[in-house]
Every structure is written in structure tokens, then in C-alpha cells.
Amino acid sequence: MQEAAKKKKKLSLTAQIAISLVLGILAGVAMQSIPDIATGYVKPFGTIYLNLIKMIVVPVVVLSITQGIVSLQDVRKVGSIGVKTICFYLITTAVAVTLGLVAANLLQVGAGYTLGGEALTYEVPEPTNLMDTLVNIFPSNAFQPLADATMLQVIVIALFLGFGIISVGEKGKVAKDVVDSFAEVSFKIMAMILKVSPIGVFALICPVVAENGPSVLLPLLKVILVAYVAYLAHMALTYSLAVRGFAGMNPLRFFRAMGEPILFAFSSASSVGTLPFNMDATAKLGTRKEVSSFVLPLGATINMDGTAIYQGVCAIFIAQIFGIELTLAQQLTIILTATLASIGTAGVPGSGMIMLTMVLQTVGLPVEGIALVAGIDRVLDMGRTAVNITGDAACTVCVDAWEKKRERRKLAKAAQQ
Ligand code: ASP
């Protein structure tokens, strides 16, 4: 009885978020003539909501990864989950960018769109070098990354903390208990913040629509269309096949459970912010916390399939409007760089566009082309973030199934002996 009541309440939060998303869009359309009011008075509530989420994300990531590793105890087990997760992430990202390139080439994303005399006023962001990305994963200070929310470094710290606690054995018990206790507290705070999601989602979406309005999107509608075709194709094909093939799960069940995180990712454009929703959804899908607490935060940081698709589509779009023919070798280079760029993309709004410079530069495309897509970045960002977090959840489901299989095999072997 209590369970049913709880379930009903959960469902109603999803419904509330969906309704406030629609209302936010409608309000944004209505406020197009007064965007200042929307940015001045509605946006701050969205900012408060995002601030609260950002506030709780670092403690949740550190504590849940550490707790996850400590609960595994068996160091080799983390190793096996880690290798599977990283392979899954890299392969699906390469598939994603390939799909993006195929869709952009087939649908001729930039055809018929010539560069007008518009001034390209967009300021090019600092490109990120690959080796720098690698070096920057390792923190030189144990606390600074927590304060700055540098997620890859935060994950490295949590990994060391977890392994450290396991390695010292009995002496690590106090540390383990402290981590467990604070993890519970941080999850509770997270739940409190999630309760105000409907207000947050409304306040986030309304000013975006009010400021940009549907009309500014018209010239670039084709980029949006092609990107969304590829986003949807990747979700419907790659993830459906993965959860069906590797975990024997009905894709419909998977997507039904993913409704809440997808909606939230779409409206917030932040993978990291969506983490709590994703943890909840994967738990509902029956995956174990020891797997999800490792796979999901890592995915929110390094696995960006939607971002890779977007980079592929934008690269072709920019090449076509500048009249540049890309060779097959160049397109293969895009696959490689976009896969690596997605690792360095932070799970926060807009970071994929910064990494796009790296992809463009690698194949010698004009970085100024970013000026054209910058205006619609948010619209593209919403879709790519939804894909990003769905990829993380699909990986969690598959890795969990592989681990369960591995354990069953181990048990059967032990029984035979
Ligand atoms: N906003 C995306 C995310 O949080 C990253 C990106 O800009 O592509 O997943």
C-alpha cells in the first residue's frame, strides 16, 4: 500500500516536470516581446535551481564513487567493470559520430546555405590540446578540484580514496563508515533538491525560448533537424540493440524508465546535473548500485555520444557552407577526434561547442564556422545532452548484466569443483 503511494508520488513528479516543460516553452513564446522580463525575473529561479544541483553534485560524485569502490572490496572487480565501461563508452561514441557523419552527408546538411555578408562576431574559444586533456585528468591538489568541480579530477580523487580505504583493511573501517554516513546525508539533500524540479525546469526553459524565439532558428533549422535525426537514430538503434543484445532487456522498458532523466537532461543541458535522475532510473531498471555508482558519474564526465554526433554534423555543415569537400580520411579523422573530444567535454551546458574547435582544427576546417552554429547551440545542446545521459544508462544496464553473468559463471565453476 505504502509502496503504491510512493510509486504514485514518483510518477507525479515526472508528470509535473513534463507539464512544466511545456508550460515553460509556452510562456517563453508568450514573453518573446519582453525577453528582459524573462531573463530578469524567471531565469534567476532556474539559476538558483541549477546552483543547488551543482552544489550537491561534487559531494554525491565523490562519496558515491568512493562508496561504490569500497563496497566492491575486490579490487579486480572494479578493474573488470572499469575496462568494460570504458570499452562500451568508446565504441558507442565512435558509432555515434559515424552516424552523425552519415546523416549529415546523406541529408546534405549545409547544402543551399551560403555564407551571407553577416559579420562573424563569435569569439573563438581557446582550443583544448589532446595532451593537455590527458595531463589535466590528474590533480596536483586533493581539494582544489572539489572546490572547482573539475569532474575528471574529482573522479580520480574518489578512485584513489576508494582504493586507499580498501587497501588498508581493518584500519580503513572508520573512513569507510564516515564515507557511508556522509553518502546517505548527501543523497537525502539531493532528494530534497529534486523535489523542486518542476519549478526549476520551467524557469530554465522559459527565458531560452523568450530570448531566442522560434524564428531565429529558421535558417539553421536543417542543422537542428539533421542533428535530431541522428540523435534519435542513435538512441533507437544503438541503445536499443545494446540493451536488448547485451542485457536481454526490452528497449521499451528501458526508455520508459528513462523518461525522467531524458526530460531533465533536455531542459537543463547538463549531464552532470542529470546524474541524480539517472541513478534513480537505472536503480528502477534493476541495476546494482555498486555498478551504477561507478559507471554513471564516469559517463557523465567522459561519455558524450550526443556531443560526438553534434560535432560530426556541425563539421559537415561548416565544410559544406564554406564549399570544402571532405575526404574519407578527413572524415575518419573526425571520428577519432570527436570520440576523444567527447572525453574532454565537461557535462555542463555548452562545453561541446568549445570542443568542436578541436575537431574543426584537426581537419583544417575554418573555426569561424562556429559563429554560425553558436546561436542555436542551446537547442542542439538539449538534444545531445539527452543522448549523452541515455548512453550512460545503457552502459550501466549492459555492464550490470555482464557482471551478473560473470558472477553466475564463477559460482557455477565453484559448484563444479
Ligand atoms: N551539455 C552537454 C552535457 O552536459 C555537453 C555538451 O555541451 O555537449 O552533456
Side-chain angles (χ1 to χ4, degrees):
M1 191 68 195
Q2 241 182 3
E3 270 298 299
K6 226 167 130 188
K7 206 168 170 194
K8 210 171 157 201
K9 211 169 148 199
K10 272 257 150 68
L11 271 178
S12 83
L13 181 66
T14 316
Q16 282 174 34
I17 294 178
I19 291 167
S20 59
L21 183 66
V22 174
L23 288 179
I25 292 171
L26 292 178
V29 171
M31 290 172 91
Q32 256 175 276
S33 53
I34 41 165
D36 292 351
I37 307 271
T39 13
Y41 297 97
V42 182
K43 201 174 172 182
F45 292 98
T47 311
I48 292 175
Y49 178 61
L50 273 189
N51 283 351
L52 289 176
I53 285 184
K54 282 188 209 148
M55 172 193 83
I56 199 64
V57 155
V58 170
V60 165
V61 168
V62 172
L63 294 164
S64 68
I65 291 190
T66 310
Q67 203 188 23
I69 288 180
V70 173
S71 71
L72 287 170
Q73 286 294 345
D74 177 357
V75 175
R76 272 167 306 171
K77 206 163 158 191
V78 181
S80 106
I81 291 183
V83 171
K84 284 176 191 138
T85 305
I86 288 172
C87 287
F88 187 99
Y89 282 161
L90 289 181
I91 293 169
T92 49
T93 305
V95 171
V97 58
T98 310
L99 247 170
L101 289 178
V102 170
N105 280 305
L106 283 182
L107 300 170
Q108 289 289 305
V109 66
Y113 192 96
T114 39
L115 266 189
E118 306 160 27
L120 298 175
T121 49
Y122 176 70
E123 238 176 80
V124 180
E126 278 285 306
T128 318
N129 170 300
L130 269 186
M131 286 321 276
D132 285 349
T133 306
L134 181 70
V135 170
N136 285 340
I137 293 175
F138 299 94
S140 60
N141 181 301
F143 299 101
Q144 200 59 41
L146 307 182
D148 296 341
T150 320
M151 294 315 278
L152 277 181
Q153 298 190 351
V154 168
I155 288 178
V156 170
I157 292 168
L159 289 175
F160 273 114
L161 187 59
F163 283 121
I165 293 175
I166 294 179
S167 309
V168 294
E170 217 14 64
K171 283 202 178 134
K173 193 171 175 321
V174 176
K176 178 187 176 297
D177 289 345
V178 169
V179 168
D180 278 344
S181 167
F182 274 105
E184 283 312 310
V185 173
S186 69
F187 294 150
K188 186 74 206 165
I189 298 173
M190 188 173 83
M192 292 176 193
I193 298 169
L194 292 186
K195 282 221 172 91
V196 295
S197 300
I199 302 171
V201 164
F202 177 93
L204 283 172
I205 203 94
C206 169
V208 173
V209 178
E211 269 187 318
N212 300 307
S215 62
V216 302
L217 307 177
L218 280 176
L220 295 161
L221 213 58
K222 200 157 180 196
V223 183
I224 298 174
L225 196 84
V226 174
Y228 273 84
V229 165
Y231 291 159
L232 289 175
H234 188 60
M235 295 238 248
L237 296 175
T238 317
Y239 299 150
S240 293
L241 285 176
V243 296
R244 161 79 77 197
F246 296 134
M249 183 182 283
N250 184 344
L252 284 181
R253 180 173 167 230
F254 174 74
F255 284 109
R256 217 173 287 137
M258 287 301 293
E260 213 168 273
I262 287 177
L263 265 179
F264 185 79
F266 189 76
S267 41
S268 70
S270 167
S271 294
V272 171
T274 312
L275 204 50
F277 289 92
N278 228 1
M279 290 202 162
D280 196 44
T282 48
K284 277 186 209 147
L285 285 168
T287 64
R288 288 164 306 170
K289 213 163 151 236
E290 60 191 62
V291 173
S292 66
S293 64
F294 173 78
V295 179
L296 289 178
L298 188 67
T301 318
I302 69 163
N303 182 49
M304 308 277 166
D305 291 2
T307 304
I309 291 175
Y310 148 87
Q311 288 171 341
V313 171
C314 285
I316 300 293
F317 173 71
I318 290 167
Q320 290 187 347
I321 54 159
F322 277 93
I324 301 167
E325 279 277 335
L326 286 178
T327 61
L328 188 66
Q330 278 174 308
Q331 302 220 16
L332 288 175
T333 312
I334 293 178
I335 296 177
L336 184 70
T337 6
T339 305
L340 294 173
S342 76
I343 296 175
T345 305
V348 294
S351 59
M353 194 173 73
I354 292 166
M355 297 308 282
L356 178 61
T357 49
M358 186 175 114
V359 177
L360 295 179
Q361 277 181 330
T362 321
V363 284
L365 285 171
V367 174
E368 301 80 53
I370 288 185
L372 295 161
V373 284
I376 51 159
D377 188 64
R378 181 67 183 207
V379 183
L380 296 170
D381 198 0
M382 291 157 80
R384 68 183 186 244
T385 310
V387 179
N388 291 346
I389 60 101
T390 311
D392 302 339
C395 180
T396 308
V397 167
C398 294
V399 170
D400 187 66
W402 285 328
E403 281 302 299
K404 281 177 184 153
K405 218 179 273 170
R406 196 175 77 110
E407 277 153 26
R408 273 199 301 271
R409 235 181 293 140
K410 227 163 131 189
L411 277 179
K413 218 166 146 192
Q416 266 174 9
Q417 279 163 4

